């Protein structure tokens, strides 16, 4: 007798058991915890995108201001970048810093306040004169500068993070670069054809105002960090720089840049400060802006004096200007010595040339030391 198969009820139960796992996977709704995690993840992604966008906006704003050499104020960042999210300044600032350093080789640095810089210079001069410029005096200068910088001005500029040796090498002319530039020049271009410079890193701006700036900074620093207005103009006249002397400025043929306009521009950019001479009043020192008719003072007969501005301390640095002056003067001395050697015998001239390197180093060190004494103390680097 044949064995009976499974009954209808048994077959139905087996079918339900086989299909239950698949039905559970398809029909089981997500739990409340999983839905909350998904929503949180989406919110974090949107917030991260928003922070990146604001950081990129800050990078563009900083580059735009740097092109005009104008400081970037924190209230401008809050208005144009942060909007209603001013509490996220630190996050946006750090992300913008990362982009600037990795992509452009630059970083935002905060300027010291102008009043603190003026007070710091006066106190530094007093201490270095008392201590004789020894090592303790140098540490005191460094400590003062760090303290002033820590006060903060909520004003920022862009400063290069590239190694100075790399910048120096890239600014030197190279034959291959000059050939590539010459091949790319259009001889029919309007406005004339500029001669190829051959450097990987071109200056990108008129070097004349930059040269005048460094000369003025050196004169102020060599005069004890404070230079009366009349003395500055007398020194500039010896360099054939008069108030109405036109300076070449590409792109502005209808409004030539004069010395007066340049000094006023350097004030706005923060490289120089022009203040009333004499004891400081109870309020903040009053700074004057130049006009084309001003000479040794204003209409009221007040005397003025020049100091370094906060941007010069943060971007240039006293030590760099001191090296610039020492190298220039040492090179001129070496050229004069070389001219004297042309009339000597070949053997004597060879003996002198062999010791020229050592003599040049000693001459450079002596000039730098004398420049530091003229400044009133050890020369500080750029503010951090």
């Amino acid at each position: 007798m044949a064995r009976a198969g499974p009954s209808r009820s048994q077959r139905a139960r087996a079918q339900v058991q086989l299909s239950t796992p698949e039905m559970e996977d398809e029909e089981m709704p997500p739990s409340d915890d999983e839905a909350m995690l998904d929503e949180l993840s989406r919110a974090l992604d949107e917030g991260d995108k928003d922070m990146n966008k604001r950081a990129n906006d800050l990078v563009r704003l900083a580059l735009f201001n740097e092109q005009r050499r104008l400081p970037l104020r924190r209230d401008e960042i809050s208005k144009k970048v942060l909007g209603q999210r001013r509490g996220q300044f630190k996050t946006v600032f750090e992300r913008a810093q990362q982009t600037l350093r990795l992509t452009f080789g630059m970083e935002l640095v905060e300027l010291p306040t102008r009043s603190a810089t003026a007070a710091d210079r006066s106190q530094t001069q007093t201490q270095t004169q008392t201590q004789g410029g020894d090592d303790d005096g140098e540490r005191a200068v460094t400590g003062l500068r760090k303290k002033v910088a820590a006060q903060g001005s909520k004003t920022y500029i862009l400063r290069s993070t590239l190694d100075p040796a790399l910048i120096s090498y890239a600014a030197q002319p190279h034959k291959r670069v000059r050939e590539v530039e010459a091949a790319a020049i259009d001889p029919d271009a309007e406005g004339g054809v500029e001669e190829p410079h051959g450097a990987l890193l071109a200056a990108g701006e008129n070097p004349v105002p930059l040269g005048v700036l460094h000369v003025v900074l050196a004169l102020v620093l060599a005069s004890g960090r404070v230079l009366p207005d009349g003395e500055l103009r007398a020194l500039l006249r010896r360099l054939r720089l008069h108030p109405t002397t036109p300076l070449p400025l590409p792109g502005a043929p209808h409004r030539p840049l004069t010395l007066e306009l340049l000094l006023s521009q350097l004030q706005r950019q923060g490289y120089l400060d022009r203040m009333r001479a004499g004891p400081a009043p109870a309020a903040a020192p009053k700074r004057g802006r130049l006009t084309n008719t001003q000479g040794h003072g204003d209409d009221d007969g007040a005397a003025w004096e020049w100091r370094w501005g906060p941007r010069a301390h943060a971007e240039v640095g006293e030590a760099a200007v001191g090296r610039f002056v020492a190298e220039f003067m040492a090179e001129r001395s070496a050229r004069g010595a070389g001219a004297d050697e042309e009339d000597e015998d070949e053997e004597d001239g060879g003996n002198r040339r062999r010791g020229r390197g050592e003599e040049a180093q000693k001459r450079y060190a002596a000039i730098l030391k004398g420049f530091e004494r003229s400044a009133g103390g050890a020369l500080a680097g750029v503010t951090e």
Side-chain angles (χ1 to χ4, degrees):
M1 183 175 179
R3 184 178 178 181
S7 63
R8 183 179 299 176
S9 61
Q10 292 175 342
R11 289 196 300 270
R13 285 195 299 269
Q15 186 176 0
V16 171
Q17 292 176 357
L18 292 174
S19 61
T20 297
E22 297 179 359
M23 293 174 62
E24 289 178 354
D25 294 340
E26 294 178 359
E27 298 179 2
M28 181 176 294
S31 64
D32 294 340
D33 293 339
E34 292 177 350
M36 187 179 299
L37 290 176
D38 292 340
E39 184 177 356
L40 179 60
S41 178
R42 286 192 297 269
L44 291 175
D45 291 341
E46 291 296 330
D48 191 67
K49 292 179 181 178
D50 181 69
M51 289 295 100
N52 289 335
K53 178 181 179 302
R54 295 178 188 274
N56 293 334
D57 291 342
L58 177 54
V59 170
R60 285 192 290 268
L61 181 61
L63 294 173
F64 177 76
N65 277 38
E66 177 62 23
Q67 186 178 14
R68 300 181 297 164
R69 285 290 194 273
L70 294 178
L72 178 60
R73 302 184 182 280
R74 180 162 177 173
D75 55 359
E76 186 179 359
I77 298 175
S78 300
K79 180 179 179 181
K80 298 182 178 180
V81 177
L82 299 179
Q84 300 297 327
R85 300 195 174 186
R86 300 191 177 188
Q88 297 176 342
F89 172 82
K90 184 177 180 180
T91 302
V92 174
F93 188 85
E94 290 177 351
R95 294 193 183 190
Q97 287 282 62
Q98 184 177 10
T99 301
L100 287 169
R101 289 167 179 155
L102 296 179
T103 305
F104 299 97
M106 309 179 79
E107 64 179 357
L108 284 166
V109 294
E110 188 173 11
L111 296 177
T113 59
R114 292 186 176 184
S115 59
T117 301
D120 174 46
R121 288 296 100 211
S122 178
Q123 186 175 1
T124 299
Q125 183 176 2
T126 302
Q127 289 189 356
T128 51
Q129 289 175 351
T130 302
Q131 299 175 1
D134 55 5
D135 294 340
D136 293 338
E138 184 174 357
R139 285 195 293 269
V141 171
T142 305
L144 282 172
R145 293 186 63 78
K146 289 185 177 179
K147 182 178 180 181
V148 171
Q151 294 181 12
S153 61
K154 296 183 180 180
T155 306
Y156 305 88
I157 63 168
L158 279 179
R159 189 171 65 191
S160 174
T161 60
L162 300 178
D163 190 286
L166 176 61
I167 297 177
S168 177
Y169 177 80
Q172 296 176 4
H174 298 272
K175 181 180 179 181
R176 177 56 180 163
V177 178
R178 186 180 292 109
E179 293 175 352
V180 173
E181 289 179 339
I185 290 178
D186 183 8
D188 299 329
E190 298 181 359
V193 178
E194 295 184 2
E195 184 178 355
H197 47 73
L200 294 173
L201 183 63
E205 60 180 317
N206 188 10
V208 175
L210 189 63
V212 174
L213 167 63
H214 281 73
V215 169
V216 173
L217 291 177
L219 293 175
V220 174
L221 188 58
S223 301
R225 300 185 172 96
V226 179
L227 181 60
D229 183 81
E231 294 185 17
L232 173 64
R233 295 177 186 279
L235 293 171
L236 292 178
R237 283 196 296 270
R238 296 177 63 180
L239 300 176
R240 299 181 181 180
L241 289 174
H242 301 276
T244 58
T245 300
L247 303 175
L249 184 64
H254 302 293
R255 189 188 180 191
L257 180 67
T258 63
L259 178 62
E260 291 292 341
L261 292 176
L262 176 60
L263 293 176
S264 179
Q265 176 180 306
L266 295 175
Q267 282 185 265
R268 292 193 303 270
Q269 295 172 349
Y271 288 105
L272 293 172
D273 260 346
R274 182 174 178 265
M275 308 170 63
R276 286 185 181 272
K286 182 178 179 181
R287 292 181 292 272
R289 181 164 295 178
L290 295 175
T291 62
N292 293 334
T293 60
Q294 286 177 341
H296 301 289
D298 285 343
D299 296 336
D300 59 358
W304 297 84
E305 59 188 17
W306 293 88
R307 301 172 184 264
W308 279 37
R311 182 164 190 147
H313 288 291
E315 184 178 308
V316 182
E318 296 176 348
V321 173
R323 291 193 298 268
F324 160 72
V325 173
E327 290 173 359
F328 175 77
M329 297 182 66
E331 183 180 355
R332 287 178 61 88
S333 300
R335 289 178 180 178
D340 296 338
E341 293 175 2
E342 293 180 357
D343 299 334
E344 298 178 354
D345 296 337
E346 182 177 354
E347 182 178 358
D348 295 337
N351 294 332
R352 285 184 175 273
R353 284 191 294 271
R354 280 191 293 269
R356 186 181 302 172
E358 183 178 352
E359 293 178 1
Q361 290 295 330
K362 293 181 179 179
R363 187 183 303 112
Y364 169 82
I367 294 174
L368 183 58
K369 187 175 181 180
F371 189 81
E372 289 182 350
R373 287 196 299 267
S374 299
L379 306 179
V382 295
T383 55
E384 299 295 337

